[in-house]
Amino acid sequence: MTMPVFEEYEPAGDCVCLGCAQRRRTLARGRAIALRGGGHPAARGARRALVLATAAGVVLGGGGSAALAAAGPVRGPGPVALDDRGGSDGPGTPQGGRAPLHGRPAPVTGPRPSSSAAGRPGAPPAVRAIDRATIINRAKIWLDAQVPYSMSEYWADGYRQDCSGYVSMVWNLGTNEWTGSLDTFATKITKEELLPGDMLLFHNPADPNNGSHVVIFGGWADETRTHYIAYEQTRPYTRKLATPYGYWKNSEKYLPYRYNGVTTGVLPDVPVPGAPAAGTAVFPGAAKFGPGADNEHVAELAKMLIGRGALRFYPKGPSSKWSEADRQATQAFQQAQGWTGADADGIPGEHTWRLLVQRQGRDIPPTGRTGPGTAPGTAPGKAPGKAPGKALGTVKPPMAPPKTPPGALPGSAGVPVYPGLQVFRPGQSHPAVLALGRRLAQKGFGKYYTSGPGPRWSEADRRNVEAFQRAQGWRGASADGYPGPETWRRLFA
């Protein structure tokens, strides 16, 4: 008898014929998609076992029916829903279930749950401490890489490429969670308490895998707090977008949460068991700060300041090298305490350091507001109507570098300080809008101005900014006509 030759054959993973499309749908329900199609690694071994068992059955004369019955689909880490066909205004982001990081064994924390419990919330692993600057910087990793959305594929860091996998990565949870378990790592807060790094969660128990979504809160887009910056994993790629509160649809169902491991935030802050202190308790000395300083205490200072409202000064995150951003952020915190003159020179002293480490004192107010006991638009210690000087809430960017007009604060590397996205909104009037318009015209992007740029934001400003962004090669939400920190930096570079 001639031994039959068996050859394992698979069509291309992206084959568009109806047969292959139906095959992928069937396999997806059983989590048996081939590796080349993004499926679970165990599926390949099961498929090979099926081929070998079938061969053995033929050789022994028993046929392959018994082998087919014995080799069912291999379950993956949790349930997965098929792609939905939601409208363009919604997230349209079905998700996978709870799972360990891809390519790593699941931590053994107790008896193995039954298959019927897959995807249900379980006891979360130990909370990992993380600061807000790190959370936002991690959110930007996938944003910069333009990670494609997928409910079955995993990025190089082991996290699933859907909305809940993205939040799991941003918070550095060490596992792939889903919308039904993320709240076990967090505490519900109010809209007024939201800070960058928190999340807005919508979990729909009626259709949890195909009707839920979660985003990372990146800060308010306007002073009315009707829009916020959302970092999210959605089709087709990771995106950062000004979003109506709480989302484009089902807005009232999105609830704000704060990760239990965040080490800095709104007072009072509940310490995380085993988490490091916010900063070194002993003041390292004024000599560690100021021009030319380069040490770990500078980065430590920046992280504490970011947790107290200074995120807008650090578009690239904290650094060990002292910069003008550190001085401005420190001065803003000092002015928030009502200090003036030499007490608010932007160099941290022992008292400033103690307030930051112990999370005491007042937080830095949003752009446009001033410290306690001052009139709006007035620097602390100044009478209303006086020139604001170096008051943080009234920063005037230069009209054209390298010259900086009186009263303006130069940023790092000669770039004026980014005033915040809320300045560039319809109806807003600010010196930064005029500076932006003049700079656009200087760069050759002023064709939509009919009477020259002015201090009030207009559609002409937005279209000129969009033209500049498109000239950088950006598309989609990255070229929406509203200048973010990177647009601002490139424009004034």
Side-chain angles (χ1 to χ4, degrees), residues 331 335 370 377-380 382 387-396 407 409:
Q331 184 182 49
Q335 289 177 342
T370 56
T378 307
K382 301 286 185 179
K390 292 186 178 181
L392 189 66
T394 52
V395 173
K396 292 184 179 180
L409 291 176

Side-chain angles (χ1 to χ4, degrees), residues 157-178:
D157 51 18
Y159 288 98
R160 191 178 54 248
Q161 296 167 214
D162 60 11
C163 63
S164 48
Y166 178 58
V167 173
S168 301
M169 181 279 296
V170 171
W171 281 358
N172 193 26
L173 297 183
T175 56
N176 281 292
E177 298 300 323
W178 71 308

